[in-house]
Amino acid sequence: MEPCYTASSILVTVNTLQGKKMVESGLQSGDFSIPTSWPSCLPLPADVEILQQKVAGLQRELEDFKKEALVSIHSLEDAFCEMNRALGQQEEQAARVKQRLREEEDRGVVRNKVLTFLLPREKQLREHCRRLECMLLDRGCAHSVPRNVQAH
């Protein structure tokens, strides 16, 4: 049996049993020369030249691909660094905005506490001023003055 192996566009037929026998006999005899039946299997020099040209072309294409891949990788790294920088700036800005919001909320809480304290006091003071004005001017504002103040 001769299994066929394909390498690029070259069809290679391998007789493993014959190869094994040749290696074993070569090892025993010390002769590693190629048998005369093999030259018909070897590719022609023109084919070898064509193959070498194809291999050289593929190597050039591979080098070009490597260069293009490296350029693309560097471009991606630059874009990634730029995005990280922009993200850092956005995070800093968001932190500043959050801090300002916390400060504004704190001021709002303080304002509410002050207003909660001052509004009832203002109402009391307005009533007291009205009573005092009525007493001072003696206008007879008794109808607007509460009874507990009239008694005094």
Side-chain angles (χ1 to χ4, degrees), residues 106-124:
D106 291 346
R107 282 192 292 269
V109 168
V110 169
R111 281 186 202 120
N112 285 339
K113 286 181 180 179
V114 167
L115 288 174
T116 302
F117 176 77
L118 290 178
L119 286 175
R121 302 300 182 271
E122 180 189 12
K123 184 178 178 184
Q124 289 174 352

Side-chain angles (χ1 to χ4, degrees), residues 44-95:
L44 299 174
D47 291 340
V48 171
E49 181 65 29
I50 292 170
L51 286 175
Q52 286 175 338
Q53 290 174 358
K54 286 182 180 180
V55 168
L58 287 173
Q59 286 174 337
R60 282 190 301 274
E61 287 179 18
L62 180 61
E63 287 302 315
D64 291 343
F65 174 78
K66 285 180 183 178
K67 288 176 185 174
E68 289 176 15
L70 284 174
V71 167
S72 296
I73 289 170
H74 290 304
S75 176
L76 286 172
E77 287 174 342
D78 292 344
F80 181 74
C81 290
E82 182 64 26
M83 285 177 27
N84 273 341
R85 186 189 59 75
L87 181 62
Q89 288 176 345
Q90 291 292 325
E91 288 174 347
E92 288 174 13
Q93 186 177 4

Side-chain angles (χ1 to χ4, degrees), residues 130-139 141 145 149 152:
R130 196 176 21 223
R131 278 184 253 131
L132 289 174
E133 185 179 330
C134 285
M135 289 169 63
L136 181 65
L137 296 176
D138 195 359
R139 291 189 185 175
C141 296
V145 178
V149 174
H152 293 284

